[in-house]
Each structure stands twice: as C-alpha cells, then as structure tokens.
Amino acid sequence: MGVDPETDDIMGRAPRTTVFTALVFMQLFNMLNFCSDTGSAFIHMVSNAWLWGSVALVTVLQVLVVEVPFLKSAFGTAPLDWIHWAVAVGAGAAVLLYEEVVKLLRRTFGA
C-alpha cells in the first residue's frame, strides 16, 4: 500500500512543485545578487531593464508551467495554493537576504 505520487498532493506533485518553484525563485533572486559583489542589490535596482524583463518572463513562465493544465501534464507539476507560492517565493527571497547580510558584513569588516 504505497503512496501514488501522481494523485496524492500531500506526498506527490504539490511538494515537488513547491520545491521546483522555490529553486526557480532562488535563481531569480540570485540574479539580483550578481549585480554587485559588494554593493547592495537594492541600489540602482530598477536601472537594468533587461534584468527585470527576464525576471518577469521567467516568473510568468513558471506560473504557466504550474497552473496551465497541458503544461502541468507535460512538466509533471501540480497547481499550488497561495501558501505553497508564498513558501516558494519566501525561500527565493531568503537567498537575497542572506547575500545582503554577507555583503553588509564585507563592507563593515572589510573581509
């Protein structure tokens, strides 16, 4: 009596989709970190239109892969509720927060 990952949202596709989405958002937030090795990502944040265009495009594509029925089937994803979306985006934002703290420590202590 095993768990069927194709139909069970608790042990199947929803958790995997949440992790997959979190990894996508981690990469998106990490792109912001690479604007400067020492300066904050929040300085001159809106100056790079190509960067924001790519963030918008990847976000829209991720939502489509998770929510559109024929794409869900093709990618093996499950629709996410707002809590799963919040967890995924929050995990991605944690990457940005962590790197901002590291950059602040480098600026403060010169390491």
Side-chain angles (χ1 to χ4, degrees), residues 14-49:
R16 287 186 309 213
T17 302
T18 303
V19 171
F20 169 57
T21 302
L23 291 170
V24 169
F25 280 103
M26 287 176 184
Q27 290 300 314
L28 288 177
F29 282 106
N30 204 30
M31 283 191 330
L32 299 176
N33 285 328
F34 281 107
C35 291
S36 172
D37 287 338
T38 56
S40 174
F42 300 106
I43 297 173
H44 307 295
M45 194 173 213
V46 295
S47 64
N48 190 337

Side-chain angles (χ1 to χ4, degrees), residues 8-88:
D8 188 4
D9 279 346
I10 293 172
M11 298 301 292
R13 289 185 180 189
R16 287 186 309 213
T17 302
T18 303
V19 171
F20 169 57
T21 302
L23 291 170
V24 169
F25 280 103
M26 287 176 184
Q27 290 300 314
L28 288 177
F29 282 106
N30 204 30
M31 283 191 330
L32 299 176
N33 285 328
F34 281 107
C35 291
S36 172
D37 287 338
T38 56
S40 174
F42 300 106
I43 297 173
H44 307 295
M45 194 173 213
V46 295
S47 64
N48 190 337
W50 287 105
L51 175 68
W52 287 106
S54 66
V55 168
L57 177 64
V58 169
T59 301
V60 168
L61 291 173
Q62 183 65 22
V63 170
L64 292 174
V65 163
V66 171
E67 301 295 338
V68 173
F70 78 91
L71 291 174
K72 286 189 305 188
S73 295
F75 287 92
T77 60
L80 299 179
D81 59 19
W82 69 271
I83 293 172
H84 288 99
W85 279 106
V87 167

